[in-house]
């Protein structure tokens, strides 16, 4: 009653079902409150399986919107295999338009660690890692820049340093149909959902589909096309359910992502002026940003340069910046 995780998910049941994951968490308003995460399951015949997860961060909207559309559209007859859809996995964060849970302040995508869980976010991450991911061939976790960043649409996966991610993973990244895909260097104990997939021996893929605390026709279009592309590539569906094909059919270029020199951090608080924008190729030593003290107009701005060359893939939205905030990120072409 007071501990654990409860779910009526039936993984053997054929057809389309609506279910939920429930975690007890007593609050002032409701002593027997349960954090409820809706889940949609579709199973039909024999075939591959995929876990589609949106809203890992509650201020990233492309994944939740696209997966909600899929929940309403898809029927059992459309599927050969299994799909588990969780459009708003971090329900408290989604409800409050926050990156992290409003209940315990935790970042779900930093809670996929193999340790005894205590708060509701850790319990949810453990349930996903132990009960959901191992039952599927592929995890597809949707992200974007959220409230503070704008992000170029990119497919992505996590790799260990000097690791070959494998042809199947690369093929899935290409299948999304985005112009760029980046390989993010991580350690064996990375606390993310993709790290949990790797530890379970499964394929974990993701994507950055927009940002700016919003959703646009372009960002939603890229997201629903990526969903259709992946489901058809895996042979789970035989037709597009959400989108039309992209007439441009871009060829995917791979980028390296993870070297700290690819991140530009403020070393002075103030108001920053970016000197490069998303989609620009820059060189090492090129001026990247200036930080001003708008309340001391006679003071010279602090100018920072790029520590590496590459493609600008994300930019901080808020001009006000503090020491340690990331302003610009690069991907290095492979």
């Amino acid at each position: 009653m007071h501990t654990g995780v409860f779910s009526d998910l039936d993984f053997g049941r054929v057809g389309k079902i609506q279910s939920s994951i429930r975690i007890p968490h007593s609050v002032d308003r409701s002593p027997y409150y349960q954090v409820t995460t809706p889940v949609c399951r579709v199973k039909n015949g024999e075939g591959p399986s995929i876990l589609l997860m949106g809203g890992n961060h509650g201020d990233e909207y492309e994944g939740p919107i696209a997966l909600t559309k899929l929940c309403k559209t898809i029927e059992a007859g459309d599927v050969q295999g299994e799909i588990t859809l969780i459009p708003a996995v971090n329900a408290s964060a989604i409800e409050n338009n926050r990156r992290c849970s409003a209940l315990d302040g935790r970042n779900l995508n930093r809670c996929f660690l193999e340790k005894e869980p205590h708060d509701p976010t850790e319990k949810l991450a453990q349930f996903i890692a132990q009960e959901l991911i191992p039952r599927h061939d592929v995890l597809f976790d949707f992200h974007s820049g959220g409230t503070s960043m704008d992000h170029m649409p990119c497919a992505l996966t996590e790799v260990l340093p000097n690791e070959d991610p494998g042809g199947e993973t690369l093929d899935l990244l290409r299948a999304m149909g985005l112009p760029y895909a980046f390989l993010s260097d991580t350690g064996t104990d990375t606390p993310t959902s993709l790290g949990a997939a790797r530890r379970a021996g499964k394929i974990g893929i993701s994507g950055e589909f927009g940002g700016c605390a919003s959703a646009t026709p372009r960002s939603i279009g890229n997201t629903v096309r990526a969903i259709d592309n992946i489901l058809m590539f895996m042979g789970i569906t035989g037709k597009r359910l959400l989108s039309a094909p992209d007439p441009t059919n871009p060829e995917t270029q791979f980028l390296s992502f993870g070297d700290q020199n690819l991140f530009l951090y403020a070393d002075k608080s103030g108001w920053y002026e970016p000197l490069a924008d998303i989609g620009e190729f820059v060189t090492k030593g090129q001026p990247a940003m200036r930080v001003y003290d708008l309340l001391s107009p006679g003071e010279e701005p602090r100018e920072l340069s790029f520590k590496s060359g590459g493609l600008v893939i994300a930019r901080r939205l808020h001009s006000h910046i503090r020491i340690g905030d990331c302003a610009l990120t690069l991907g290095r072409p492979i």
Side-chain angles (χ1 to χ4, degrees):
M1 178 178 177
H2 300 301
T3 61
V5 179
F6 303 99
S7 176
D8 55 359
L9 280 166
D10 182 353
F11 294 97
R13 182 175 171 183
V14 175
K16 178 180 178 180
I17 61 171
Q18 302 291 339
S19 185
S20 65
I21 303 165
R22 302 181 306 282
I23 302 172
H25 183 63
S26 183
V27 296
D28 292 340
R29 187 194 71 257
S30 181
Y32 301 121
Y33 179 67
Q34 290 186 335
V35 184
T36 303
T37 302
V39 181
C40 176
R41 279 269 304 165
V42 187
K43 177 180 173 67
N44 186 45
E46 298 297 323
S49 58
I50 189 169
L51 171 60
L52 301 171
M53 193 164 74
N56 192 326
H57 295 131
D59 62 349
E60 301 174 1
Y61 303 112
E62 287 82 0
I65 291 172
L67 293 182
T68 297
K69 290 162 71 78
L70 184 60
C71 285
K72 294 180 179 300
T73 302
I74 196 166
E75 297 296 340
D78 298 322
V79 171
Q80 187 68 30
E82 300 180 43
I83 303 176
T84 302
L85 296 117
I86 314 181
V89 65
N90 194 345
S92 170
I94 286 280
E95 186 177 13
N96 290 275
N97 301 301
R98 292 173 49 161
R99 180 175 178 82
C100 301
S101 170
L103 294 171
D104 53 31
R106 301 300 304 278
N107 181 338
L108 175 59
N109 212 36
R110 302 297 182 270
C111 289
F112 289 90
L113 299 169
E114 296 178 342
K115 66 175 187 177
E116 187 65 26
H118 298 287
D119 55 48
T121 304
E122 288 180 342
K123 292 177 181 178
L124 176 62
Q126 185 185 71
F127 182 84
I128 294 167
Q130 294 183 356
E131 300 296 330
L132 297 185
I133 290 174
R135 296 177 183 271
H136 298 82
D137 301 317
V138 174
L139 164 70
F140 190 173
D141 187 5
F142 294 78
H143 287 269
S144 72
T147 302
S148 65
M149 301 288 284
D150 189 12
H151 208 295
M152 173 180 286
C154 298
L156 72 95
T157 194
E158 292 183 0
V159 296
L160 297 175
N162 302 314
E163 177 191 42
D164 181 355
E168 191 173 358
T169 300
L170 297 180
D171 287 344
L172 283 165
L173 295 178
R174 292 188 185 96
M176 282 192 218
L178 298 172
Y180 295 97
F182 60 84
L183 310 181
S184 180
D185 292 337
T186 59
T188 56
D189 59 349
T190 177
T192 63
S193 65
L194 299 189
R198 183 173 63 231
R199 289 188 289 272
K202 305 297 181 176
I203 293 176
I205 57 174
S206 184
E208 302 282 357
F209 288 94
C212 308
S214 184
T216 67
R218 180 188 179 199
S219 68
I220 295 296
N222 283 332
T223 310
V224 295
R225 272 192 298 274
I227 292 171
D228 277 340
N229 288 349
I230 290 294
L231 294 180
M232 293 178 67
F233 179 80
M234 291 181 64
I236 297 176
T237 59
K239 63 180 180 180
R240 294 185 172 275
L241 302 176
L242 300 173
S243 69
D246 183 350
T248 64
N249 192 26
E251 182 178 349
T252 302
Q253 179 177 355
F254 285 89
L255 307 171
S256 172
F257 184 76
D259 182 341
Q260 281 297 300
N261 287 330
L262 298 175
F263 297 80
L264 187 70
Y265 291 94
D267 62 3
K268 175 182 177 179
S269 297
W271 289 262
Y272 94 103
E273 172 194 9
L275 302 178
D277 206 351
I278 291 173
E280 290 186 37
F281 282 94
V282 299
T283 58
K284 181 179 180 180
Q286 179 179 327
M289 61 183 279
R290 298 188 187 100
V291 180
Y292 298 86
D293 184 347
L294 300 183
L295 304 180
S296 300
E299 183 179 314
E300 288 296 317
R302 168 78 167 132
E303 185 170 287
L304 299 177
S305 299
F306 289 106
K307 297 179 181 179
S308 174
L311 175 70
V312 181
I313 60 175
R315 175 180 59 81
R316 177 177 171 82
L317 292 170
H318 310 304
S319 183
H320 188 259
I321 199 165
R322 294 180 179 177
I323 296 173
D325 284 337
C326 181
L328 297 160
T329 62
L330 306 178
R332 183 182 295 128
I334 298 175

